[in-house]
Every structure is written in C-alpha cells, then in structure tokens.
Amino acid sequence: MNLLAIETSCDETAAALIAETGNPRQPWQIRSSIVASQTAIHREWGGVVPELASRQHVRDICGVVEAALEQANASMSEVGGIAVTQGPGLVGSLLVGVSFAKALGWARGIPVIPVHHLAGHIESLVLAHGELPLPAAILVVSGGHTSLYVVPEPGVYHLVGRTRDDAAGEAYDKVAKLLGLGYPGGPVIDKLARQGRADRFTFPSTRLTHADRNAPSATGAGWLPPDVARRIDFSFSGLKTAVLRLVRERQGALAGDATNDAPPLPPEDIADICAGFQRTVVDALLDRLFEAAGWLGAQSIGIAGGVSANSQLRADAEIRGEKIQRPVFVPPLSLSTDNAAMIGAAGLRRYRAGLTAGLEFNAEASLALT
Ligand code: KG4
Ligand code: ZN
C-alpha cells in the first residue's frame, strides 16, 4: 500500500509518497518527500502572512505533488489513498491541501484520510525509528504548538500538558525579531547561543502553580495528579517580555542622552541574550517532559516538531534520558520541521485502523487532539 500525503497547514507546501513495509516494528518507509518552503516570502514581513501563504500553496501544490511522484518513480495508479492535514493550522492554507486531496481522491476513486497535524509530528518518530517502547511521553514543540502527549498504545494520543500562551517556537521567532535576527528565529538563535554565555543574563521561567480560571480543566486529568498536571503546563509569554525589557534597558544605556533611534546591541550582548534565552526555554521544556515521563511510567521519550531541531534541546534530552535509563527519540532534521512524510505515516496508521473519511470533511483550524 502506497499513500500520497499532503501537508499545507502553515508555510510549507509538502507532498510525500509513503509505503508500508510489512514489518510491524518499522511499519513505513519514505519513497519520496518534497517540501516547498515559503520562508523567503514571509521573511520580508517578519512572520507568516496567512493570505500570502494560501496563495502560494495554490501556486505550488500541483508541482509539489508531481515532484513527489516523480522522485518515487511512481504513477498515480500505484497510490491507494491520500492522507491530508485537516488541522490545526491556517484555515486558508489547510483548505488548499484538503480541496486538492478531495478532488484527486474523488477523481481516482481512492480513499482520503484526514490527519491531525500533531499526530503527524508524533508519528514522525515512528517513521524514523520504528515503533516506540510504550507508554511514551512525547513533546510536540513547534511554531504553533507546545503540547505534551502520552501514547499508551499505537495511534492513541492523550494530551497531558500544553502551553497556556505562546508556543516555544513562537517565543524563538518573537525574540529573534526583537533582536533583529530575522525569521524564522529558531535556527539563528540556536547558532548564536552556541557562541554566547548562558549565565550572563538570566531570565525567569514561568511555573504555573495556581489554577487558571480560563484553562480547560482537563489537560492532564486522569493521567497525572492535579497539582502535577498544573505544573506540567507551559508558559512562554513572560519570558519573551523579560527579553524585551532587557533589550530596551541595554539600548537605553547605550543611547545615553541621545534622542535618535534605539542603537543596535553589540554582537556579544546578542549572543549572550540568545544563550540565556535558550537555556531557559530548553530547561522549561525538559523539566516538564521528564517530570511527566516519570509520573506516566513512560518507557520512552520523544520530542518532535520544528523546535526539536534545536541542538541544545537534543543534547540535553539525551543526557537526561541516560540518567533515567529511558531511550530518547528525536526525528532527523528533515522530519522535524513541517513535511508531508509524517502526515503519510499518521495516515497509514489511521487507514489500517479503518479511519478513512467521506468527502464531506472540512479543514479545521482549531482541531484538537483529545
Ligand atoms: O513544526 P514547524 O516547522 O511548524 C509549525 O508547525 O509551527 O516549526 C517551526 C518552528 C519555528 O518557530 C522555528 O523558529 C522553530 O520551529 N525552529 C527552531 C529550530 N529550527 C526551527 N527552534 C529552535 N531551534 C532550532 N534549531
Ligand atoms: Zn508542525
């Protein structure tokens, strides 16, 4: 069985051909994976502009699907179904992939399988490493999400923690913007942080110790004791504000009495701020992931999504995993940021569980995974 997969939830137009292997330990393999990134278009605006994103998906989708078939040396007659990201994401962008998949599925008379974007990120780990020892504690950390899941059995995902405000990747992108480092912020901060001193500027890490009246009550309920469940939620907006305050303060000191524009910070300051910021984010993510993993009796630990590309997060997770003698899985860089191969993997999982859909399903910007 070959599945064509399509992903258009944000600013990457992606298509892939994924095949079943027949090996239950390593169930899927990538025959091709094409990603057309729109980063160059959005960089000019300092972030993703939804309307520009949907228009570019329309321009790219046909060529990207054709390229995926060509790279796999396959024709549509070999494709048994189409997996597509249903949500969450930018609804105009999602609609391009969903409409394309439905039209192609209808024309070819093959099933269409709607896939949750975060299920795709989680299954990117299985696609790369084979079935994980379960239960697994898995952190999906990207520009749009910071969500912690327990996977008790294959294809079952329970949310046990999430951010109450910004996603970690969003904090990277915002901090990069205020430091004048461009978009996306993750890779450049990651690089500069390696040249800086993490102990020169320390930033507060928000711990949510009190009940949030606006939060849905159930985040980790049933899986974690209530006080632990609260602690496991994330918050990054305070950190972003702390960086902003420090930057303004230092710019003020540099400007002295001069009334002209805020002066640029010296490169050394920027590197040290990046290092301090990154230290705080990585610790906040790993403290919660490993605390939850302990309570959940996790046999393995996974980190997926764009921020899982972060070098310090990867290195520190590995060290923490060794300490508690649990394997830590991260996807290869090609599968950590948005791609269609992971959607194909999650799609094959659903297909084998009989979870295909009629053509009446729609793109769903706020679709939630339990
Ligand atoms: O998964 P992804 O491609 O898209 C979403 O679903 O959001 O993740 C993109 C995010 C961006 O915020 C980007 O800054 C971040 O992943 N990112 C990183 C790194 N590479 C990408 N963050 C930290 N360190 C990195 N090396
Ligand atoms: Zn993503």
Side-chain angles (χ1 to χ4, degrees), residues 7 9-12 88 117-118 121 140-145 167-173 183-191 194 277-278 281 304-313 333 335-339 342:
E7 150 66 37
S9 68
C10 189
D11 61 344
E12 261 97 30
H117 184 76
L118 298 191
H121 277 301
V140 181
V141 62
S142 71
H145 304 274
E170 190 180 353
Y172 267 94
D173 294 337
Y183 171 85
V188 58
I189 291 184
D190 190 1
K191 188 166 158 235
R194 273 178 254 149
F277 165 78
Q278 179 155 291
V281 174
V307 181
S308 74
N310 187 266
S311 59
Q312 193 180 344
L313 185 66
L333 293 182
L335 293 179
S336 62
T337 47
D338 286 348
N339 64 88
M342 67 183 194

Side-chain angles (χ1 to χ4, degrees), residues 76-368:
M76 271 311 290
S77 55
E78 293 170 54
V79 175
I82 304 173
V84 63
T85 306
Q86 182 184 16
L90 302 170
V91 75
S93 293
L94 290 164
L95 269 172
V96 177
V98 166
S99 313
F100 187 95
K102 288 205 277 190
L104 187 57
W106 179 77
R108 303 290 313 182
I110 52 178
V112 179
I113 304 140
V115 170
H116 193 288
H117 184 76
L118 298 191
H121 277 301
I122 293 171
E123 298 297 355
S124 74
L125 296 167
V126 178
L127 181 59
H129 303 287
E131 296 289 0
L132 311 182
L134 301 179
I138 297 183
L139 179 67
V140 181
V141 62
S142 71
H145 304 274
T146 302
S147 299
L148 181 52
Y149 291 92
V150 58
V151 178
E153 53 189 278
V156 177
Y157 323 103
H158 288 288
L159 183 69
V160 292
R162 82 222 180 299
T163 181
R164 301 272 182 97
D165 40 60
D166 293 350
E170 190 180 353
Y172 267 94
D173 294 337
K174 287 178 175 169
V175 165
K177 193 171 179 178
L178 72 90
L179 290 173
L181 299 175
Y183 171 85
V188 58
I189 291 184
D190 190 1
K191 188 166 158 235
L192 289 175
R194 273 178 254 149
Q195 300 156 17
R197 278 177 41 201
D199 57 357
R200 180 158 159 230
F201 305 115
T202 50
F203 298 108
S205 177
T206 311
R207 267 275 183 186
L208 297 154
T209 50
H210 59 283
D212 176 352
R213 280 180 295 137
N214 299 316
S217 55
T219 310
W223 292 95
L224 299 168
D227 56 324
V228 178
R230 261 201 302 279
R231 278 212 295 280
I232 296 300
D233 275 350
F234 305 86
S235 166
F236 293 106
S237 73
L239 171 59
K240 173 196 65 194
T241 310
V243 176
L244 176 67
R245 209 173 296 132
L246 175 80
V247 169
R248 295 280 175 270
E249 225 174 78
R250 296 200 69 76
Q251 282 174 331
L254 284 171
D257 289 336
T259 49
N260 46 3
D261 286 344
L265 295 181
E268 196 185 301
D269 282 12
I270 292 185
D272 292 345
I273 292 171
C274 288
F277 165 78
Q278 179 155 291
R279 173 82 276 147
T280 310
V281 174
V282 168
D283 286 350
L285 293 173
L286 294 182
D287 285 353
R288 287 161 180 78
L289 172 58
F290 279 81
E291 180 171 4
W295 284 99
L296 296 164
Q299 296 305 300
S300 66
I301 286 154
I303 310 177
V307 181
S308 74
N310 187 266
S311 59
Q312 193 180 344
L313 185 66
R314 285 174 175 244
D316 289 5
E318 189 67 40
I319 293 167
R320 291 199 194 208
E322 272 163 24
K323 262 193 207 140
I324 62 162
Q325 297 185 325
R326 290 286 178 276
V328 172
F329 298 98
V330 290
L333 293 182
S334 59
L335 293 179
S336 62
T337 47
D338 286 348
N339 64 88
M342 67 183 194
I343 301 303
L348 275 169
R349 176 90 79 198
R350 286 182 71 79
Y351 178 77
R352 286 300 168 205
L355 298 168
T356 56
L359 291 182
E360 64 282 358
F361 78 91
N362 209 343
E364 187 69 80
S366 55
L367 191 68

